[in-house]
Amino acid sequence: MSKSNPRLELSKEEMKSLGYKIVDAIVDHHLTQDKKLPVAVGTRAEMDSIFLEEAPEKGMDAQKVLEFVLKNVMANSTLLSHPKAYSFVPGPSNYVSVMADALATGFNVFSGGWSASPAAAELEIITIQWLLKIFGFPKKKGGGIFTSGGSMANLTALTTARNIKCGKDFSKAVIYLSDQAHSSNIKAIRVIGFREEQVRIIPTDSEFNFPINKLKNAIAKDRLAGLQPFCLIGTAGTTNTGTVDPLTELAAICKKEDIWFHIDGAYGGAAILAPKGKTALKGIEKADSVTIDPHKWLYQPYEMGCLLVRNHKHLSHTFTEKPEYLRDVEGNTSEINFYDLGIQLTRRFRALKFYMSIKTYGLQSFRDAIAYNMDLAEQLEEQMRKSSLWEIVHPATLAIINFRYNPIGKNYSAKKLDKLNQYISEKVVSSQKALLVTTILNNQIVLRMCLINPRTTLADVQETLELCEAFAAEADK
Ligand SMILES: *Cc1c(COP(=O)(O)O)cnc(C)c1O
């Protein structure tokens, strides 16, 4: 396209052939990704050597641009949907939702207000209601909103908690969370303007359990000092170990103390769909707000987070503004304008992918996938316990397991074990054959697997462990 194209249009033929090629590329990727290398490595200099240029004044053929992108962009991106992507919280995704995203973007549906797109707002209402029921929240009174991810859901929750419990003056307010709570909570606390001395980080015990007694002491001391305990963040599935805080007990404390109880279930919340997970998450239904993150263990592609609240009015009271330019689109109260329930005005249509994937596969498929993931982690634990090479540092919890290479009889020093496990991780990652990084638990460097991909098999995991063992043997020489 060497001429200017000021309407930014392609011909019908060009559109179709570009579109079909993209669909072909996505389908091909879905069919073959398990055989690809999951890890992409590249330095800034290497990426610059491929991409660095001035914004081109003149266009070029769309097919050529696509070819370049497929070859250079996609091939240089780590595949968080790969069965051997074990680190952080992977994003297994699913094809139906990918197509739903393409549809939502293709029609550029504005998912901010009812009058702009009643069906999009309705689908968000309906899917939020599905989630409210799944999490045992009141169906009529409860509410929620889809966000870009868990971080934004936590930010939305803490802003709401502050507004409802403190109003305009939060100078004496104090917030509590454990040292295993996700870093996005600390970020959110900072964003909404709390000073460091208003935050109590409660240290967990050596098994990463939330110490109720320490929390009670902290609240009591803060009250004596004339401060206002206003919010507790519990975690339903910590990112490090999958540990679920004692939700029922924490809820009772919050009720007694008139404290907002926010539960961060961004990683673990989805486990509620499986029988074992439901037991582990008992008490989650007692929260004032819960963050879940469908782009993790509900298998949605990025971006999709979600905040559920016990009382939908708490969101609208916190986020509704009535500017003159939105006067004509307000509508009535049952016709929800999601821009009144959160931070964004213009919002992409996230509900569609959740809706289409649940409609297509059925909720039972999601339940089975999540149960499978939890079982896989347990099977791996059982196997590792029988091995003379591996030590379980934290048992399979939800679908996370922490372990380290520590062969019986070698009596390695703590320092040597740290070095060895760090080395294993670095070698595995640089081999590009698996994404397996470390975390630190009780000052020890350990390996961590988050097994939420329903396409990961025990054989995949075994292959990865064998790779680790080979690197370990090499380091020992
Ligand atoms: C991943 C995660 C988050 C952050 O969610 P994003 O979607 O990455 O923004 C928050 N809390 C927990 C427990 C998480 O695992």
Side-chain angles (χ1 to χ4, degrees):
M1 228 169 267
S2 49
K3 280 207 303 284
S4 174
N5 182 354
R7 286 168 59 92
L8 309 179
E9 284 179 337
L10 297 180
S11 72
K12 183 174 173 183
E13 291 320 310
E14 286 169 328
M15 282 197 283
K16 287 201 170 182
S17 94
L18 180 65
Y20 294 150
K21 284 225 165 93
I22 290 176
V23 170
D24 284 346
I26 295 171
V27 171
D28 189 55
H29 173 68
H30 276 249
L31 293 173
T32 59
Q33 67 166 328
D34 296 8
K35 304 261 163 349
K36 294 182 184 174
L37 292 174
V39 181
V41 286
T43 62
R44 177 66 195 266
E46 283 163 352
M47 293 300 108
D48 271 356
S49 75
I50 303 173
F51 298 111
L52 188 64
E53 63 174 328
E54 297 294 326
E57 284 297 335
K58 285 202 163 56
M60 64 190 273
D61 182 51
Q63 307 275 348
K64 291 256 161 59
V65 177
L66 176 61
E67 273 164 37
F68 177 81
V69 164
L70 288 175
K71 175 158 169 262
N72 295 298
V73 181
M74 297 314 161
N76 282 308
S77 303
T78 288
L79 308 175
L80 275 311
S81 319
H82 193 284
K84 287 182 179 168
Y86 306 110
S87 294
F88 319 113
V89 179
S93 188
N94 77 87
Y95 184 77
V96 169
S97 294
V98 170
M99 289 297 110
D101 255 356
L103 205 53
T105 303
F107 283 72
N108 205 23
V109 176
F110 175 92
S111 211
W114 181 275
S115 73
S117 16
E122 177 73 8
L123 282 198
E124 189 154 353
I125 293 169
I126 299 297
T127 47
I128 291 281
Q129 276 177 355
W130 292 352
L131 288 164
L132 288 170
K133 181 162 182 222
I134 288 167
F135 282 87
F137 268 43
K139 198 174 166 190
K140 268 237 158 80
K141 213 168 138 207
I145 185 167
F146 292 125
T147 61
S148 55
S151 302
M152 282 303 288
N154 285 334
L155 176 62
T156 308
L158 300 186
T159 308
T160 307
R162 186 191 66 184
N163 179 57
I164 299 301
K165 292 297 184 191
C166 312
K168 290 209 165 71
D169 179 10
F170 50 93
S171 57
K172 291 197 157 51
V174 182
I175 185 164
Y176 306 82
L177 66 166
S178 89
D179 62 3
Q180 291 297 304
H182 191 269
S183 57
S184 61
N185 293 294
I186 292 290
K187 252 199 218 175
I189 288 167
R190 213 178 288 145
V191 168
I192 60 178
F194 285 105
R195 302 182 310 276
E196 222 166 281
E197 58 275 21
Q198 294 179 281
V199 185
R200 303 283 173 269
I201 297 177
I202 316 279
T204 53
D205 69 16
S206 63
E207 302 277 313
F208 308 102
N209 296 310
F210 197 115
I212 295 279
N213 182 50
K214 283 189 193 141
L215 172 70
K216 284 184 174 168
N217 282 342
I219 294 172
K221 294 291 178 289
D222 285 332
R223 289 229 192 269
L224 280 176
L227 301 173
Q228 185 201 359
F230 87 102
C231 182
L232 167 69
I233 303 170
T235 307
T238 61
T239 315
N240 260 341
T241 61
T243 303
V244 180
D245 290 343
L247 304 178
T248 305
E249 282 167 276
L250 294 179
I253 294 172
C254 287
K255 186 154 188 223
K256 178 159 167 271
E257 299 279 350
D258 189 26
I259 290 174
W260 183 283
F261 187 25
H262 174 60
I263 296 179
D264 180 358
Y267 163 61
I272 202 164
L273 283 173
K276 278 186 205 158
K278 188 158 184 153
T279 309
L281 293 173
K282 203 163 174 303
I284 201 167
E285 73 286 351
K286 293 187 161 65
D288 293 293
S289 54
V290 176
T291 284
I292 53 175
D293 216 0
H295 67 201
K296 289 177 173 169
W297 208 357
L298 286 171
Y299 312 113
Q300 301 303 311
Y302 305 132
E303 299 174 345
M304 188 179 201
C306 176
L307 179 69
L308 299 178
V309 289
R310 165 164 304 283
N311 184 340
H312 67 88
K313 291 209 174 105
H314 288 156
L315 286 181
S316 53
H317 287 171
T318 303
F319 293 104
T320 305
E321 292 291 331
K322 302 242 172 263
E324 62 287 358
Y325 40 80
L326 292 178
R327 231 164 36 100
D328 294 339
V329 298
E330 262 162 27
N332 65 42
T333 51
S334 75
E335 295 170 350
I336 293 174
N337 295 314
F338 278 91
Y339 59 66
D340 278 338
L341 304 190
I343 295 164
Q344 279 184 280
L345 169 58
T346 301
R347 307 167 67 241
R348 54 180 291 112
F349 184 13
R350 298 190 177 94
L352 186 65
K353 55 185 162 185
F354 191 70
Y355 177 79
M356 284 181 68
S357 57
I358 301 269
K359 289 272 282 185
T360 304
Y361 300 114
L363 199 52
Q364 186 64 46
S365 303
F366 286 76
R367 294 184 191 283
D368 292 344
I370 292 163
Y372 168 81
N373 291 141
M374 293 178 70
D375 286 344
L376 181 63
E378 285 171 19
Q379 282 170 27
L380 175 61
E381 178 188 337
E382 203 174 306
Q383 280 209 354
M384 281 186 144
R385 288 210 193 270
K386 289 183 195 143
S387 157
S388 62
L389 300 176
W390 295 99
E391 172 195 353
I392 300 290
V393 179
H394 194 273
T397 309
L398 301 189
I400 292 178
I401 182 164
N402 300 86
F403 53 90
R404 62 179 183 168
Y405 187 77
N406 184 8
I408 295 174
K410 294 268 188 175
N411 297 317
Y412 289 137
S413 68
K415 211 170 143 201
K416 163 99 186 176
L417 283 173
D418 278 354
K419 264 181 88 172
L420 188 56
N421 283 279
Q422 186 69 46
Y423 176 83
I424 292 171
S425 160
E426 280 164 18
K427 291 298 273 188
V428 169
V429 172
S430 63
S431 82
Q432 301 180 279
K433 289 182 183 157
L435 184 62
L436 180 69
V437 306
T438 63
T439 188
I440 293 179
L441 298 181
N442 296 323
N443 299 316
Q444 295 173 340
I445 294 180
V446 305
L447 299 166
R448 170 182 168 284
M449 281 188 176
C450 179
L451 295 166
I452 62 165
N453 190 322
R455 290 170 284 107
T456 302
T457 62
L458 197 54
D460 288 325
V461 179
Q462 274 159 346
E463 268 174 38
T464 303
L465 290 183
E466 279 160 25
L467 188 66
C468 292
E469 287 162 13
F471 287 131
E474 188 187 287
D476 246 0
K477 267 201 275 181

